[in-house]
Amino acid sequence: MPPDPLVTGRPAAELGLIGAALTIRAVPLWWRRHAPRAALALIISTDAALAVAWGLWSRDLLGLLVLGGAAELVAVYSLACYGPSGPRTWPAALAAPLPWGLGLGFLLVADHEVAADGPTPVAFAFGLVTAVVCTAPLTLAAWTLGVTTAARSRRWGSPRSTPSPHGRGTPCRPNATASPRD
């Protein structure tokens, strides 16, 4: 018995656009090691735009943003591991859930049972805070893993770390000229 489809009753062209949007939003992950801040910023802004558009267009599509949640976790991990600031990047773990909060906030505002008297800022704020509080532990765990991996790479004197322009090593970047004692 095949599983139930995530999106039903949509024309093929619309499904193609949805698939393209979900694929394009993960493209910044190609640059996660070289420009982790930019990659995370692009993913967060793309997800926020999709959450607002899909929340206003169709509530059913907001569930598809969950499929892309792994991209945000990878981007937060990459910023903590490959970013020049290392442990000082913790605000990224709190910024990453914002698109999910926007999506839930707009979903509650658009729901006629929740906002019976019309759209209210309270419903939006409740959705935003609830989603961020519920998903921040996931992004904080990804951030912690990235910081721990970077510290372990430096502590072991990883031959895969290269000096950054700021004088500190950046873990996990291949460098053929680095020796194990660097």
Side-chain angles (χ1 to χ4, degrees), residues 2-81:
D4 292 334
L6 291 173
V7 179
T8 59
R10 304 266 181 209
E14 188 175 323
L15 289 176
L17 285 173
I18 293 168
L22 288 173
T23 303
I24 288 171
R25 63 172 291 287
V27 167
L29 289 178
W30 281 97
W31 299 284
R32 72 183 185 273
R33 292 184 181 198
H34 301 291
R37 284 185 182 155
L40 180 62
L42 283 170
I43 288 174
I44 289 174
S45 60
T46 302
D47 278 0
L50 287 175
V52 170
W54 288 354
L56 296 175
W57 183 26
S58 172
R59 288 188 260 167
D60 299 335
L61 296 178
L62 279 175
L64 294 176
L65 283 179
V66 174
L67 295 175
E72 287 177 354
L73 295 176
V74 168
V76 168
Y77 166 85
S78 298
L79 179 61
C81 187

Side-chain angles (χ1 to χ4, degrees), residues 114-126:
V114 174
D117 297 332
T120 63
V122 174
F124 178 78
F126 177 76

Side-chain angles (χ1 to χ4, degrees), residues 129-154:
V129 170
T130 301
V132 169
V133 166
C134 290
T135 57
L138 292 172
T139 56
L140 284 169
W143 177 83
T144 303
L145 183 61
V147 168
T148 305
T149 301
R152 186 183 64 218
S153 294
R154 282 188 215 104

